[in-house]
Amino acid sequence: MKRFLLFLPLLVAVVVGVFLFAGIGKDPTKLDSALIGKQVPVFSLKSLKSPDSSLDEGLFRGEVTLLNVWGTWCPACRDEHDDLMRVSREKKVAIIGLNYKDNRDDALVWLDRLGDPYRTVIYDPKGTLGFDLGVYGAPETFVIDASGVVRYRHVGVVNGEVWEKILLPVINEARENG
């Protein structure tokens, strides 16, 4: 038994090494999502700007949309905001915001100062919809087709390159496939 205990640290190091080696070269922005090909989860949450208004999964019916998960506490969300404003101005796709685990007043000030690229913003202070979507943090952006089916999930900042090379082709494909 004492001999086994001598080799235990080596065994643990080998197991940890195998797990670390398995992650080398993987793109952290390509996290699998159990929702790809499935409907947006059923939800009922308040609108950020109109707390008396409830919003639900019906928001994602009728046209291809982006669902952008953001929070004022998220520095990367600030980094992508100008690009989302550009996409919104170009009107290539409707963007719905999911204000995730945030303070309503802070979020309203943020949009007032930086501009509002969103058609509407779902207020998710407890992260319930975020949890149902499998959100790890912010920013995350989902492409949702006109039937309300999640077609793609992007983890990280949406910048010009991500928009042109990844999101726009997925949006166009979602439009073509109805």
Side-chain angles (χ1 to χ4, degrees), residues 6 8 18 28-29 31 48 57 78 92 96 121 126 142 153 169 175:
L6 289 173
L8 188 59
V18 168
T29 64
L31 294 174
L48 178 69
E57 66 281 359
R78 174 63 183 99
K92 292 189 177 182
I96 294 175
V121 179
K126 295 180 182 175
F142 296 82
R153 173 187 184 199
R175 287 178 175 148

Side-chain angles (χ1 to χ4, degrees), residues 13-14 17 20 25 54 78 94 98 100-101 124 128 133 157-158 167 174-175:
V14 168
L20 292 175
S54 289
R78 174 63 183 99
L98 177 63
Y100 180 67
K101 294 185 176 182
D124 190 10
T128 54
L133 289 166
V157 172
V158 172
L167 295 178
R175 287 178 175 148

Side-chain angles (χ1 to χ4, degrees), residues 70-75 77-78 99-111:
W70 65 281
T72 60
W73 47 265
C74 164
C77 297
R78 174 63 183 99
N99 183 243
Y100 180 67
K101 294 185 176 182
D102 208 351
N103 174 285
R104 181 185 303 272
D105 292 334
D106 292 346
L108 290 169
V109 168
W110 164 291
L111 294 175

Side-chain angles (χ1 to χ4, degrees), residues 14-153:
V14 168
V15 170
V16 170
V18 168
F19 281 109
L20 292 175
F21 183 76
I24 292 175
K26 291 193 176 179
D27 185 350
T29 64
K30 292 186 179 177
L31 294 174
D32 291 332
S33 174
L35 286 180
I36 301 298
K38 296 183 181 167
Q39 293 287 318
V40 170
V42 173
F43 70 93
S44 179
L45 290 168
K46 300 296 182 186
S47 164
L48 178 69
K49 290 186 176 181
S50 303
D52 295 332
S53 300
S54 289
L55 303 171
D56 61 29
E57 66 281 359
L59 285 172
F60 303 103
R61 300 273 181 346
E63 66 179 316
V64 176
T65 56
L66 286 184
L67 174 61
N68 178 253
V69 180
W70 65 281
T72 60
W73 47 265
C74 164
C77 297
R78 174 63 183 99
D79 291 344
E80 77 175 358
H81 196 81
D82 290 339
D83 288 296
L84 292 175
M85 290 295 295
R86 181 183 51 77
V87 168
S88 177
R89 278 191 305 273
E90 292 173 357
K91 299 189 185 320
K92 292 189 177 182
V93 67
I95 307 171
I96 294 175
L98 177 63
N99 183 243
Y100 180 67
K101 294 185 176 182
D102 208 351
N103 174 285
R104 181 185 303 272
D105 292 334
D106 292 346
L108 290 169
V109 168
W110 164 291
L111 294 175
D112 188 50
R113 285 187 185 153
L114 301 177
D116 186 352
Y118 305 108
R119 171 183 287 166
T120 191
V121 179
I122 304 162
Y123 182 54
D124 190 10
K126 295 180 182 175
T128 54
L129 178 55
F131 179 81
D132 291 344
L133 289 166
V135 169
Y136 286 84
E140 291 189 25
T141 303
F142 296 82
V143 176
I144 302 171
D145 73 14
S147 300
V149 173
V150 177
R151 292 296 170 197
Y152 186 78
R153 173 187 184 199

